Amino acid sequence: NAGVTQTPKFRVLKTGQSMTLLCAQDMNHEYMYWYRQDPGMGLRLIHYSVGEGTTAKGEVPDGYNVSRLKKQNFLLGLESAAPSQTSVYFCASSTRFKAGGSTDTQYFGPGTRLTVL
Amino acid sequence: GENVEQHPSTLSVQEGDSAVIKCTYSDSASNYFPWYKQELGKRPQLIIDIRSNVGEKKDQRIAVTLNKTAKHFSLHITETQPEDSAVYFCAAYPSNTGNQFYFGTGTSLTVIP
């Protein structure tokens, strides 16, 4: 049981290049999330998904796209990278709490450190 | 949407002393409040959580309290140890507004041996 995994761990891009970050979870979780973490700003939600085939925008979605074609995978794409997207990206997943419309523990992946030159 | 504020942003304590981190939230529909610990270069990891039907929860040296009326919750660490040094994040989960977690900006805790 690997939990939440992310690939790659590190990446350096030039401005204008594109890339895709992959998140995979083996806990059969319905919900998956992409966050970015910048110094002094905590974790900010980029996009999230409440199930296979569904996605929604978070707090900072501009410049990113996502897809959830399979329940266990959540992809984050940067079509044209900019220096402002230099950050550490975390994927997370959680399951729906069975009662009360709440959620259960959110598990994080190890992160991807992205630098855009 | 929900707004979570966290204080202080940095905290230094002597080993063995207690540390308290406070968070406030704005959405009365929030019903789940996790706390995460993030060591340098590592992923955030859940250390304790509390749901809105509970006022306090303890796990060894760590406790969380929730005041729904005042919309604030706090993390208490007793008998601090150097390995408690990390960044701590609080979060709130409103049950009725789209399945998102809202995070505080983090508290950098340093325990001085």
Side-chain angles (χ1 to χ4, degrees):
Chain A
N1 190 338
V4 182
T5 58
Q6 291 181 232
T7 51
K9 290 186 171 56
F10 303 93
R11 186 71 185 269
V12 178
L13 291 178
K14 294 181 180 178
T15 297
Q17 288 185 319
S18 63
M19 78 163 294
T20 300
L21 282 67
L22 171 63
C23 176
Q25 53 95 4
D26 60 4
M27 296 175 283
N28 201 34
H29 285 171
E30 293 88 350
Y31 300 169
M32 296 187 75
Y33 308 82
W34 275 108
Y35 295 93
R36 60 176 290 173
Q37 185 175 39
D38 303 292
M41 301 189 75
L43 290 153
R44 293 185 292 168
L45 184 65
I46 304 171
H47 287 279
Y48 66 100
S49 169
V50 299
E52 181 178 326
T54 70
T55 63
K57 294 180 180 180
E59 180 186 355
V60 289
D62 294 343
Y64 305 95
N65 57 77
V66 288
S67 65
R68 184 127 181 243
L69 300 178
K70 295 183 179 180
K71 186 177 183 179
Q72 63 268 33
N73 296 336
F74 195 29
L75 279 64
L76 177 71
L78 286 75
E79 290 186 349
S80 180
S84 60
Q85 294 178 304
T86 293
S87 187
V88 179
Y89 292 85
F90 285 101
C91 175
S93 71
S94 67
T95 191
R96 185 171 182 84
F97 195 56
K98 292 180 181 176
S102 185
T103 187
D104 211 337
T105 305
Q106 188 174 191
Y107 294 89
F108 284 86
T112 296
R113 185 173 295 276
L114 174 66
T115 302
V116 182
L117 302 175
Chain B
E2 173 66 281
N3 181 44
V4 178
E5 296 189 354
Q6 183 172 347
H7 299 280
S9 57
T10 59
L11 179 61
S12 292
V13 299
Q14 290 291 133
E15 183 177 357
D17 287 351
S18 296
V20 180
I21 302 170
K22 297 181 180 180
C23 287
T24 61
Y25 62 100
S26 60
D27 192 337
S28 56
S30 287
N31 62 1
Y32 176 61
F33 306 91
W35 284 91
Y36 293 87
K37 175 183 180 183
Q38 187 178 28
E39 297 175 347
L40 191 62
K42 301 286 183 64
R43 73 187 80 188
Q45 293 202 302
L46 181 79
I47 55 172
I48 196 167
D49 57 9
I50 192 167
R51 299 193 186 273
S52 57
N53 58 348
V54 175
E56 182 176 5
K57 184 176 179 181
K58 289 183 179 179
D59 183 3
Q60 299 183 331
R61 296 187 296 108
I62 294 173
V64 57
T65 58
L66 172 65
N67 183 327
K68 288 192 296 182
T69 302
K71 294 194 183 71
H72 67 72
F73 56 112
S74 300
L75 177 71
H76 304 254
I77 306 174
T78 59
E79 301 173 16
T80 53
Q81 300 167 2
E83 51 265 39
D84 294 328
S85 296
V87 178
Y88 292 81
F89 292 97
C90 64
Y93 183 88
S95 61
N96 64 348
T97 55
N99 307 296
Q100 298 183 40
F101 286 86
Y102 293 83
F103 284 82
T105 51
T107 296
S108 178
L109 173 64
T110 301
V111 180
I112 303 165

